[in-house]
Amino acid sequence: MSAPRRIGVLGGMGPEATVLLMSRVIAATPAKDDADHLPLMVDMNPQVPSRIARLIEGRGEDPGPVLAGMAAGLQQAGAQALAMPCNTAHHYAPAILDAVTIPLLDMVELSVAQAVAQVGRGGLVGILGSPALQQVGIFDRALARHDCKAVYASDQDGLLRAIRQIKQSGPSAQSRAALADAAADVAARGAALQLVACTEFSLIADAAASRAAVLDTLDVLVAAMVEFAR
């Protein structure tokens, strides 16, 4: 078998979510020895400007040029594709793609394709993530191409507080309760399937799954990475 292709990871958004991605890639890779695992090149950069500050609060540095520079550096170092375990940062995918000639394994597009395959055209898909996702409409546009619609939790501020709390001190009973309540809310409004669309929430995805049918976008990205590399 030929050597697996190298994937560059634009990481640090947040650090724990990036480590979770790597752990899930290892778990998803059939391996008998070290050499069977996939080569990852990880730029763990927690100093990427805040997507929340830029998109929700309208302040701070533009993350786009920083992400583009990271992508270019990973390609120069030998990466043959890119992965980015942050749904909100996919708002800056055009800037990333303008900086490289290798593909970005687009977590948003890949997750929407899987969701549509489950709910069918015209279905409702719940989005559990940062309020920035609703504000910029990244999932709305992707779903609209399949005649589907996004459904968001009513308490977006509660989800943002949960994300910030996880970034600050890790998962807690409070963040788990917030995610579970949001999943129940979205399910009650007709979403047949919900996307766990924040990699902080991927750390506690089982809290959402206890209240609704869910698909973790991080798992979708992991599957795409394993398929590309092998």
Side-chain angles (χ1 to χ4, degrees):
M1 185 177 69
S2 60
R5 294 187 284 184
R6 292 180 175 271
I7 298 175
V9 178
L10 289 84
M13 303 171 283
E16 196 168 0
T18 304
V19 172
L20 181 63
L21 169 78
M22 297 167 67
S23 295
R24 290 191 183 178
V25 167
I26 291 169
T29 303
K32 296 180 180 179
D33 197 2
D34 293 347
D36 297 325
H37 283 283
L38 307 185
L40 300 179
M41 307 171 65
V42 182
D43 187 343
M44 179 71 91
N45 184 9
Q47 282 69 49
V48 174
S50 170
R51 287 71 56 207
I52 289 173
R54 183 73 174 186
L55 297 174
I56 297 177
E57 301 168 358
R59 63 176 179 83
E61 184 183 349
D62 182 0
V66 177
L67 292 169
M70 293 166 64
L74 287 166
Q75 179 176 358
Q76 186 175 8
Q80 294 164 278
L82 299 171
M84 182 165 60
C86 176
N87 286 274
T88 304
H90 279 68
H91 177 66
Y92 303 99
I96 293 168
L97 291 171
D98 282 346
V100 297
T101 57
I102 57 177
L104 171 68
L105 304 177
D106 191 312
M107 180 162 55
V108 171
E109 294 289 346
L110 290 165
S111 298
V112 164
Q114 285 203 27
V116 171
Q118 293 189 43
V119 305
R121 295 188 72 88
L124 299 178
V125 178
I127 307 297
L128 302 173
S130 164
L133 295 173
Q134 184 174 13
Q135 187 166 329
V136 302
I138 186 170
F139 277 97
D140 299 80
R141 290 190 296 274
L143 286 165
R145 289 192 284 272
H146 302 276
D147 299 323
C148 291
K149 291 185 178 180
V151 180
Y152 296 91
S154 303
D155 188 6
Q156 290 288 293
D157 289 342
L159 287 179
L160 181 57
R161 285 193 298 272
I163 292 169
R164 284 176 162 156
Q165 185 271 310
I166 293 170
K167 286 181 179 291
Q168 178 178 347
S169 56
S172 67
Q174 291 79 9
S175 60
R176 293 178 64 85
L179 185 60
D181 289 347
D185 170 35
V186 173
R189 290 189 287 119
L193 177 70
Q194 301 185 33
L195 295 178
V196 176
C198 173
T199 45
E200 267 69 48
F201 289 155
S202 295
L203 292 160
I204 55 171
D206 60 308
S210 69
R211 307 296 292 273
V214 302
L215 176 64
D216 190 341
T217 58
L218 191 66
D219 287 335
V220 175
L221 180 59
V222 166
M225 292 170 68
V226 173
E227 180 180 1
F228 177 88
R230 296 182 68 86

